[in-house]
Structure formats: C-alpha cells, structure tokens
Amino acid sequence: RVLSASAQPALPGLQTQHSGSGELDLAILDAVPEGSYRLNLTAEDLGGNRASRSLEFSIDRTPPQATLT
C-alpha cells in the first residue's frame, strides 16, 4: 500500500502516517497559517489500483463575536 499527500500552498508538518485500520493522520493544523488550501491524496494498493481525491478547505483563526442585547 502506498499513500501520498501534497498541499498547495504547502502545509507545515504534512506527513502520511496510517495505521492498519485505515485511519490516516496527515498534519497537526496548529502550526498552519490562516488561508485557503487544497489537499491532494493518492492511494495505491498492492494490485496497482490507484485512486486520487482532492479537498479544498480554509483555516480561519478569527474568534467568533457574539452580541447580547
């Protein structure tokens, strides 16, 4: 099994670590600056079958503001 990940722009600490149970840890997002990102994942099994997926997301660290009246 091969799993690769990349991001634009680069995500600090991005790594592909997976357990045998199918769970995947990619990065700790605490060190990632605010902004829009695109994450690209590619997986290949022992038979050479390959699948790719992309996900776009944003990180906004602005705390919400609530007004009570």
Side-chain angles (χ1 to χ4, degrees), residues 11-30:
L11 288 171
L14 179 65
Q15 47 187 306
T16 55
Q17 295 180 350
H18 60 87
S19 65
S21 65
E23 295 179 7
L24 176 68
D25 293 323
L26 291 174
I28 298 174
L29 297 179
D30 293 345

Side-chain angles (χ1 to χ4, degrees), residues 35-52:
S36 297
Y37 295 88
R38 180 182 188 89
L39 181 63
N40 305 302
L41 297 171
T42 302
E44 185 175 340
D45 66 12
L46 296 173
N49 301 303
R50 180 178 277 211
S52 297

